């Protein structure tokens, strides 16, 4: 881009935006600049309608009959295939179930079960912490198994992969910096060494085009309450490549993963398909909200989404660096948009207080310890004018030292 766009140019960008009408399908409070859809996506009338139908009619009137009549029992598989479409997975390989943390546990064990003569898990030192905590949990059940960490044991994941590695657990986009990995290239590198890969798609599902089948991925997990807009605590998903389904075993062998759950047999027999990656009864009300949110995605071109995402994040970086120069911010995300997800991080020594001041002025991003200001750009309901307004408020807070007020130093439980 040449020169700094002014407000007229920004408004022209919104007017020319092919995804602009999508904003009307979400509930975005007037006057709020919501740059945190990468933590909790916006609500939608479609999700509300599904919730109401599920609560008042299916639960309220039809009661237990709804397991069959309203398709509750099959819903994890039906919604799994719909998410599968958004992440490049052919039907029958994706199921909606449980949380991302629980699905990481299942995926790691299943991956280890495919490589019984190998003992090492590779992960990222800078990973989202739950991935590492769950990995510790998996290791605690497998005597002799050990962990190698990128950034601790070697600078890059590629340097850690050898013939002893069973599985590589890796985030497609880093939750803090927004750095995007090359899925096809890393998957190939892992598989060339005889290992399998588990991709964590929490920050890419619904944020950019993904081709799990095309990349020959082995396993993937992700959550549905971020870019997919499924609602707070909405259930996560897990993908297992078709070629592994017969063999891959996960240890949370609850009755919903059984081949014949309603035969009430005494012994366990895993379902032959992706159903084996469920555990027990699923949270149907949350799933119904997710169903409403996924209806919106039927009308989204993922490549148009990515183009807008790149334009939003490029604009944000350009405006912040021009308007807030010398005010203590350092770009923490890759400058090259091809290596960046749909979020931008800036470092500031007082990031927590700065973010609290922003939130008080109705610009919502989030703080990640120790010193990161993180801004998510969800192309379905964020416009270029939001970027402009967000940067104006940020500049004002930094220039006026408004963030130094002591009320912004008090930490809440959830940051
Ligand atoms: C948000 C996120 C999670 C969340 O896990 P939950 O079990 O849903 O709490 C896991 N991994 C990554 C990379 C995330 O960004």
């Amino acid at each position: 881009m040449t020169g700094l766009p002014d407000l007229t140019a920004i408004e022209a960008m919104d007017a020319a935006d092919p995804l602009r009408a999508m904003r009307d399908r979400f509930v975005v409070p007037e006057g709020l600049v919501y740059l945190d859809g990468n933590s909790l996506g916006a609500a939608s009338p479609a999700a509300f309608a599904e919730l109401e139908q599920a609560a008042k009619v299916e639960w309220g009137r039809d009661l237990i009959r709804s397991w069959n009549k309203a398709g509750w029992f099959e819903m994890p598989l039906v919604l799994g295939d719909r998410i599968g479409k958004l992440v490049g997975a052919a039907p029958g390989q994706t199921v909606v179930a449980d949380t991302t943390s629980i699905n990481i546990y299942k995926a790691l064990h299943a991956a280890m079960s495919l490589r019984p003569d190998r003992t090492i898990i590779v992960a990222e030192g800078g990973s989202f912490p739950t991935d590492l905590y769950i990995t510790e949990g998996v290791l605690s059940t497998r005597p002799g198994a050990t962990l190698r960490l990128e950034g601790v044991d070697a600078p890059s994941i590629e340097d850690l992969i050898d013939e002893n590695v069973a599985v590589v657990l890796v985030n497609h986009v880093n939750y803090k910096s927004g750095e995007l990995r090359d899925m096809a290239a890393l998957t190939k590198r892992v598989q060339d060494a005889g290992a399998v890969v588990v991709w964590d798609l929490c920050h890419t599902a619904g944020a950019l085009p993904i081709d799990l089948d095309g990349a020959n991925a082995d396993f993937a997990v992700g959550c549905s309450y971020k870019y997919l807009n499924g609602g707070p605590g909405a259930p996560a998903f897990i993908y297992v490549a078709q070629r592994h389904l017969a063999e891959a075993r996960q240890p949370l062998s609850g009755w919903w993963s059984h081949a014949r759950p309603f035969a009430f047999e005494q012994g366990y027999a895993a379902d032959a398909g992706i159903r084996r990656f469920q555990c027990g009864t699923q949270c149907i009300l949350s799933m119904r909200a997710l169903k409403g949110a996924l209806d919106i995605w039927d009308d989204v071109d993922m490549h148009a989404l990515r183009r807008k995402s790149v334009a939003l994040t490029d604009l944000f970086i350009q405006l912040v660096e021009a308007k807030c120069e010398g005010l203590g911010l350092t770009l923490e995300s890759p400058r090259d948009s091809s290596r960046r997800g749909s979020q931008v991080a800036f470092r500031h020594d007082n990031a927590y207080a700065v973010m609290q001041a922003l939130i008080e002025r109705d610009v919502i991003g989030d703080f990640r310890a120790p010193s990161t200001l993180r801004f998510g750009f969800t192309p379905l309901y964020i416009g270029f004018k939001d970027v402009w307004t967000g940067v104006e408020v940020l500049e004002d807070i930094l220039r006026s030292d408004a963030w130094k007020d002591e009320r912004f130093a008090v930490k809440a439980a959830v940051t």
Side-chain angles (χ1 to χ4, degrees), residues 99-101 104 128 130-131 171 175 200 202-203 223 225-226:
T99 65
T100 299
S101 301
I104 292 169
F128 187 82
T130 205
D131 301 50
N171 287 269
Y175 78 104
D200 185 328
C202 280
H203 287 282
C223 59
Y225 53 77
K226 292 172 179 164

PDB file of all heavy atoms in Angstrom, residues 99-101 104 128 130-131 171 175 200 202-203 223 225-226, ligand 1:
ATOM      1  N   THR A  99     -14.233 -31.051  24.625  1.00  0.00           N
ATOM      2  CA  THR A  99     -13.486 -29.800  24.504  1.00  0.00           C
ATOM      3  C   THR A  99     -12.200 -30.064  23.721  1.00  0.00           C
ATOM      4  O   THR A  99     -11.794 -31.220  23.555  1.00  0.00           O
ATOM      5  CB  THR A  99     -13.080 -29.276  25.897  1.00  0.00           C
ATOM      6  OG1 THR A  99     -12.161 -30.213  26.477  1.00  0.00           O
ATOM      7  CG2 THR A  99     -14.281 -29.108  26.818  1.00  0.00           C
ATOM      8  N   THR A 100     -11.560 -28.997  23.304  1.00  0.00           N
ATOM      9  CA  THR A 100     -10.283 -29.172  22.604  1.00  0.00           C
ATOM     10  C   THR A 100      -9.287 -29.901  23.495  1.00  0.00           C
ATOM     11  O   THR A 100      -8.584 -30.817  23.046  1.00  0.00           O
ATOM     12  CB  THR A 100      -9.725 -27.810  22.167  1.00  0.00           C
ATOM     13  OG1 THR A 100     -10.672 -27.205  21.280  1.00  0.00           O
ATOM     14  CG2 THR A 100      -8.402 -27.955  21.454  1.00  0.00           C
ATOM     15  N   SER A 101      -9.239 -29.513  24.770  1.00  0.00           N
ATOM     16  CA  SER A 101      -8.284 -30.162  25.688  1.00  0.00           C
ATOM     17  C   SER A 101      -8.514 -31.676  25.709  1.00  0.00           C
ATOM     18  O   SER A 101      -7.565 -32.465  25.592  1.00  0.00           O
ATOM     19  CB  SER A 101      -8.442 -29.604  27.104  1.00  0.00           C
ATOM     20  OG  SER A 101      -8.225 -28.210  27.117  1.00  0.00           O
ATOM     21  N   ILE A 104      -7.430 -33.286  22.497  1.00  0.00           N
ATOM     22  CA  ILE A 104      -5.970 -33.428  22.383  1.00  0.00           C
ATOM     23  C   ILE A 104      -5.540 -34.718  23.097  1.00  0.00           C
ATOM     24  O   ILE A 104      -4.708 -35.484  22.600  1.00  0.00           O
ATOM     25  CB  ILE A 104      -5.241 -32.198  22.982  1.00  0.00           C
ATOM     26  CG1 ILE A 104      -5.500 -30.963  22.121  1.00  0.00           C
ATOM     27  CG2 ILE A 104      -3.734 -32.456  23.086  1.00  0.00           C
ATOM     28  CD1 ILE A 104      -5.043 -29.658  22.762  1.00  0.00           C
ATOM     29  N   PHE A 128      -0.060 -23.011  23.016  1.00  0.00           N
ATOM     30  CA  PHE A 128      -1.124 -22.695  23.959  1.00  0.00           C
ATOM     31  C   PHE A 128      -0.974 -23.679  25.123  1.00  0.00           C
ATOM     32  O   PHE A 128      -0.855 -24.883  24.899  1.00  0.00           O
ATOM     33  CB  PHE A 128      -2.487 -22.847  23.280  1.00  0.00           C
ATOM     34  CG  PHE A 128      -3.627 -22.375  24.136  1.00  0.00           C
ATOM     35  CD1 PHE A 128      -3.933 -21.023  24.195  1.00  0.00           C
ATOM     36  CD2 PHE A 128      -4.369 -23.262  24.884  1.00  0.00           C
ATOM     37  CE1 PHE A 128      -4.981 -20.579  24.994  1.00  0.00           C
ATOM     38  CE2 PHE A 128      -5.413 -22.824  25.683  1.00  0.00           C
ATOM     39  CZ  PHE A 128      -5.717 -21.476  25.741  1.00  0.00           C
ATOM     40  N   THR A 130      -2.676 -25.299  27.358  1.00  0.00           N
ATOM     41  CA  THR A 130      -3.435 -26.536  27.611  1.00  0.00           C
ATOM     42  C   THR A 130      -2.885 -27.700  26.784  1.00  0.00           C
ATOM     43  O   THR A 130      -2.885 -28.846  27.239  1.00  0.00           O
ATOM     44  CB  THR A 130      -4.956 -26.336  27.363  1.00  0.00           C
ATOM     45  OG1 THR A 130      -5.671 -27.309  28.142  1.00  0.00           O
ATOM     46  CG2 THR A 130      -5.361 -26.506  25.913  1.00  0.00           C
ATOM     47  N   ASP A 131      -2.372 -27.415  25.609  1.00  0.00           N
ATOM     48  CA  ASP A 131      -1.797 -28.486  24.779  1.00  0.00           C
ATOM     49  C   ASP A 131      -0.637 -29.161  25.519  1.00  0.00           C
ATOM     50  O   ASP A 131      -0.478 -30.381  25.468  1.00  0.00           O
ATOM     51  CB  ASP A 131      -1.308 -27.925  23.434  1.00  0.00           C
ATOM     52  CG  ASP A 131      -2.433 -27.266  22.636  1.00  0.00           C
ATOM     53  OD1 ASP A 131      -3.158 -26.425  23.210  1.00  0.00           O
ATOM     54  OD2 ASP A 131      -2.596 -27.582  21.444  1.00  0.00           O
ATOM     55  N   ASN A 171       0.456 -26.313  16.717  1.00  0.00           N
ATOM     56  CA  ASN A 171      -0.602 -25.337  16.462  1.00  0.00           C
ATOM     57  C   ASN A 171      -0.469 -24.793  15.046  1.00  0.00           C
ATOM     58  O   ASN A 171       0.617 -24.398  14.627  1.00  0.00           O
ATOM     59  CB  ASN A 171      -0.487 -24.177  17.453  1.00  0.00           C
ATOM     60  CG  ASN A 171      -0.915 -24.579  18.849  1.00  0.00           C
ATOM     61  OD1 ASN A 171      -2.072 -24.442  19.211  1.00  0.00           O
ATOM     62  ND2 ASN A 171       0.018 -25.112  19.633  1.00  0.00           N
ATOM     63  N   TYR A 175      -1.163 -19.000  19.196  1.00  0.00           N
ATOM     64  CA  TYR A 175      -2.232 -18.206  19.830  1.00  0.00           C
ATOM     65  C   TYR A 175      -1.786 -16.800  20.184  1.00  0.00           C
ATOM     66  O   TYR A 175      -2.602 -15.893  20.264  1.00  0.00           O
ATOM     67  CB  TYR A 175      -2.744 -18.920  21.099  1.00  0.00           C
ATOM     68  CG  TYR A 175      -1.858 -18.770  22.311  1.00  0.00           C
ATOM     69  CD1 TYR A 175      -2.197 -17.905  23.342  1.00  0.00           C
ATOM     70  CD2 TYR A 175      -0.667 -19.478  22.423  1.00  0.00           C
ATOM     71  CE1 TYR A 175      -1.377 -17.745  24.454  1.00  0.00           C
ATOM     72  CE2 TYR A 175       0.147 -19.326  23.526  1.00  0.00           C
ATOM     73  CZ  TYR A 175      -0.208 -18.456  24.541  1.00  0.00           C
ATOM     74  OH  TYR A 175       0.598 -18.308  25.634  1.00  0.00           O
ATOM     75  N   ASP A 200      -3.473 -28.577  15.832  1.00  0.00           N
ATOM     76  CA  ASP A 200      -4.440 -27.831  16.637  1.00  0.00           C
ATOM     77  C   ASP A 200      -4.902 -26.625  15.806  1.00  0.00           C
ATOM     78  O   ASP A 200      -4.111 -25.728  15.503  1.00  0.00           O
ATOM     79  CB  ASP A 200      -3.798 -27.375  17.953  1.00  0.00           C
ATOM     80  CG  ASP A 200      -4.806 -26.706  18.881  1.00  0.00           C
ATOM     81  OD1 ASP A 200      -5.748 -26.072  18.370  1.00  0.00           O
ATOM     82  OD2 ASP A 200      -4.642 -26.811  20.111  1.00  0.00           O
ATOM     83  N   CYS A 202      -7.333 -24.427  16.546  1.00  0.00           N
ATOM     84  CA  CYS A 202      -8.163 -23.467  17.301  1.00  0.00           C
ATOM     85  C   CYS A 202      -8.139 -22.070  16.688  1.00  0.00           C
ATOM     86  O   CYS A 202      -9.148 -21.369  16.707  1.00  0.00           O
ATOM     87  CB  CYS A 202      -7.705 -23.400  18.750  1.00  0.00           C
ATOM     88  SG  CYS A 202      -8.355 -24.768  19.716  1.00  0.00           S
ATOM     89  N   HIS A 203      -6.984 -21.652  16.168  1.00  0.00           N
ATOM     90  CA  HIS A 203      -6.896 -20.288  15.638  1.00  0.00           C
ATOM     91  C   HIS A 203      -6.927 -20.235  14.117  1.00  0.00           C
ATOM     92  O   HIS A 203      -6.601 -19.205  13.521  1.00  0.00           O
ATOM     93  CB  HIS A 203      -5.647 -19.592  16.193  1.00  0.00           C
ATOM     94  CG  HIS A 203      -5.827 -19.237  17.637  1.00  0.00           C
ATOM     95  ND1 HIS A 203      -6.571 -18.159  18.041  1.00  0.00           N
ATOM     96  CD2 HIS A 203      -5.426 -19.868  18.758  1.00  0.00           C
ATOM     97  CE1 HIS A 203      -6.609 -18.130  19.366  1.00  0.00           C
ATOM     98  NE2 HIS A 203      -5.921 -19.160  19.823  1.00  0.00           N
ATOM     99  N   CYS A 223     -11.471 -25.769  18.251  1.00  0.00           N
ATOM    100  CA  CYS A 223     -12.660 -25.385  19.008  1.00  0.00           C
ATOM    101  C   CYS A 223     -13.625 -24.616  18.117  1.00  0.00           C
ATOM    102  O   CYS A 223     -13.281 -24.142  17.043  1.00  0.00           O
ATOM    103  CB  CYS A 223     -12.295 -24.632  20.270  1.00  0.00           C
ATOM    104  SG  CYS A 223     -11.378 -23.153  20.023  1.00  0.00           S
ATOM    105  N   TYR A 225     -15.863 -22.190  19.418  1.00  0.00           N
ATOM    106  CA  TYR A 225     -16.382 -20.943  20.004  1.00  0.00           C
ATOM    107  C   TYR A 225     -15.559 -19.720  19.617  1.00  0.00           C
ATOM    108  O   TYR A 225     -15.869 -18.623  20.011  1.00  0.00           O
ATOM    109  CB  TYR A 225     -16.495 -21.055  21.532  1.00  0.00           C
ATOM    110  CG  TYR A 225     -15.237 -21.495  22.248  1.00  0.00           C
ATOM    111  CD1 TYR A 225     -14.188 -20.615  22.469  1.00  0.00           C
ATOM    112  CD2 TYR A 225     -15.096 -22.803  22.719  1.00  0.00           C
ATOM    113  CE1 TYR A 225     -13.036 -21.013  23.135  1.00  0.00           C
ATOM    114  CE2 TYR A 225     -13.952 -23.215  23.376  1.00  0.00           C
ATOM    115  CZ  TYR A 225     -12.928 -22.306  23.586  1.00  0.00           C
ATOM    116  OH  TYR A 225     -11.784 -22.715  24.231  1.00  0.00           O
ATOM    117  N   LYS A 226     -14.469 -19.921  18.861  1.00  0.00           N
ATOM    118  CA  LYS A 226     -13.660 -18.777  18.423  1.00  0.00           C
ATOM    119  C   LYS A 226     -14.195 -18.305  17.071  1.00  0.00           C
ATOM    120  O   LYS A 226     -15.282 -17.759  17.003  1.00  0.00           O
ATOM    121  CB  LYS A 226     -12.187 -19.164  18.412  1.00  0.00           C
ATOM    122  CG  LYS A 226     -11.663 -19.410  19.840  1.00  0.00           C
ATOM    123  CD  LYS A 226     -10.263 -19.973  19.915  1.00  0.00           C
ATOM    124  CE  LYS A 226      -9.854 -20.153  21.382  1.00  0.00           C
ATOM    125  NZ  LYS A 226      -8.700 -21.018  21.558  1.00  0.00           N
TER     126      LYS A 226
HETATM  127  C1  LIG B   1      -8.526 -21.792  22.755  1.00  0.00           C
HETATM  128  C2  LIG B   1      -7.550 -22.910  22.627  1.00  0.00           C
HETATM  129  C3  LIG B   1      -7.749 -24.109  23.288  1.00  0.00           C
HETATM  130  C4  LIG B   1      -8.931 -24.243  24.199  1.00  0.00           C
HETATM  131  O1  LIG B   1      -9.089 -25.473  24.770  1.00  0.00           O
HETATM  132  P1  LIG B   1     -10.420 -25.774  25.587  1.00  0.00           P
HETATM  133  O2  LIG B   1     -10.293 -27.167  25.968  1.00  0.00           O
HETATM  134  O3  LIG B   1     -11.572 -25.452  24.694  1.00  0.00           O
HETATM  135  O4  LIG B   1     -10.472 -24.847  26.762  1.00  0.00           O
HETATM  136  C5  LIG B   1      -6.836 -25.137  23.070  1.00  0.00           C
HETATM  137  N1  LIG B   1      -5.777 -24.969  22.244  1.00  0.00           N
HETATM  138  C6  LIG B   1      -5.556 -23.794  21.621  1.00  0.00           C
HETATM  139  C7  LIG B   1      -4.394 -23.650  20.708  1.00  0.00           C
HETATM  140  C8  LIG B   1      -6.427 -22.727  21.798  1.00  0.00           C
HETATM  141  O5  LIG B   1      -6.206 -21.577  21.188  1.00  0.00           O
END
